[in-house]
Amino acid sequence: MSESRVRFFEQRISDMGYDKALQALDWMMEEMAAPKYARHDGSHYYNHLVDVAQDLLNHGIRDEDIIVGALLHDAVEDVPGITLRMIDDKFNTRVGKMVDLVTKEKGVNYKQGDLIKVLYLDPMLNNPDACLLKAADRKHNFSTLRSATPEKKLRQAIETEKFFFPFFKEAMKRYPRYSAYFLSAKTAIKPHLLEIKEHYEEVDALQERIKELESKIA
């Protein structure tokens, strides 16, 4: 199924005359194939890139640079040897800028405090292209959390509610032309997020009940 989606996407951007997007797709399919690069469900990592780009197309985003950026949004962060200079040279500085903004800096613990907001999301808000890429990325990541570890599910849910929902809201205010897409990201994520939180609230309650029973038995 995933490979058929890739073929459909390839045919679509070919029909649209998006030669640079085809170049980006070929590059990522070569660089980010399993088993070297696999998502938590074992699939080729490039399927994520294709699904992110396809979702933007499905919501009327026809700017080829943004589609190229969607295909390359994890390249610098995840593939050793790929640099922003390479992206600038192969495509253009606009694509390089949006990829730069969504690339997390190595060695920074974004899970600590509000660093993900201060160092990552806030600078992104000045660039509508990067905002779109991040919204599409987070939206797709949530749709594939079923096979993730319990710890990752809970972490993603808490992080998204605290930082990404306000990010989507601010992006909607700043970039009205893309407001429908930012709303779609929140709308798609929220049911998954609530399900995760409710599950862990039930687990916590059950664990507390077990402790109470154990104390009575002891």
Side-chain angles (χ1 to χ4, degrees):
M1 181 65 73
S2 59
E3 291 307 305
S4 65
R5 293 205 308 273
V6 173
R7 290 195 296 272
F8 174 81
F9 174 76
E10 182 176 5
Q11 184 63 60
R12 188 171 183 187
I13 59 175
S14 177
D15 291 344
M16 295 173 76
Y18 284 7
D19 293 337
K20 288 293 186 181
L22 284 168
Q23 181 183 351
L25 175 63
D26 289 342
W27 191 23
M28 291 302 99
M29 288 179 69
E30 179 181 350
E31 294 287 347
M32 302 188 80
K36 184 178 179 182
Y37 290 97
R39 288 178 67 76
H40 48 73
D41 60 2
S43 64
H44 294 300
Y45 196 93
Y46 63 74
N47 288 330
H48 164 66
L49 310 177
V50 168
D51 287 343
V52 167
Q54 181 68 69
D55 192 60
L56 289 166
L57 284 177
N58 290 347
H59 283 81
I61 308 300
R62 295 291 183 269
D63 188 320
E64 186 179 6
D65 281 348
I66 292 174
I67 302 306
V68 170
L71 291 167
L72 300 177
H73 75 269
D74 282 330
V76 174
E77 188 172 317
D78 291 345
V79 183
I82 293 183
T83 65
L84 290 169
R85 177 63 180 271
M86 290 171 67
I87 291 175
D88 286 348
D89 291 344
K90 283 177 176 288
F91 302 97
N92 57 55
T93 55
R94 181 187 173 203
V95 172
K97 180 63 175 177
M98 64 179 92
V99 172
D100 182 23
L101 285 168
V102 300
T103 299
K104 290 179 179 175
E105 187 177 342
K106 295 188 189 315
V108 177
N109 181 10
Y110 291 94
K111 300 182 184 72
Q112 181 179 351
D114 288 355
L115 288 186
I116 193 166
K117 176 183 185 298
V118 175
L119 298 183
Y120 189 58
L121 295 176
D122 283 353
M124 213 180 291
L125 282 168
N126 295 317
N127 185 296
D129 303 335
C131 289
L132 279 173
L133 297 192
K134 193 69 252 176
D137 176 55
R138 178 63 45 147
K139 181 181 179 183
H140 183 257
N141 281 337
F142 251 83
S143 74
T144 63
L145 276 180
R146 184 173 297 275
S147 57
T149 64
E151 293 78 14
K152 181 173 182 178
K153 289 179 183 178
L154 186 58
R155 184 178 71 248
Q156 288 267 21
I158 293 170
E159 180 183 81
T160 300
E161 186 172 44
K162 183 176 181 180
F163 298 114
F164 281 83
F165 281 0
F167 170 78
F168 296 157
K169 184 176 181 179
E170 181 61 26
M172 287 175 66
K173 291 180 184 176
R174 294 194 188 196
Y175 308 112
R177 73 180 67 183
Y178 298 134
S179 60
Y181 189 81
F182 297 122
L183 180 60
S184 83
K186 182 177 181 180
T187 302
I189 289 171
K190 194 166 185 178
H192 298 292
L193 186 151
L194 292 176
E195 183 179 357
I196 291 168
K197 288 184 65 180
E198 287 170 3
H199 170 74
Y200 284 100
E201 286 170 1
E202 291 172 0
V203 169
D204 288 343
L206 181 59
Q207 288 175 341
E208 286 299 317
R209 180 58 177 158
I210 290 171
K211 287 180 182 178
E212 289 177 11
L213 291 173
E214 287 176 340
S215 66
K216 290 179 180 179
I217 293 171

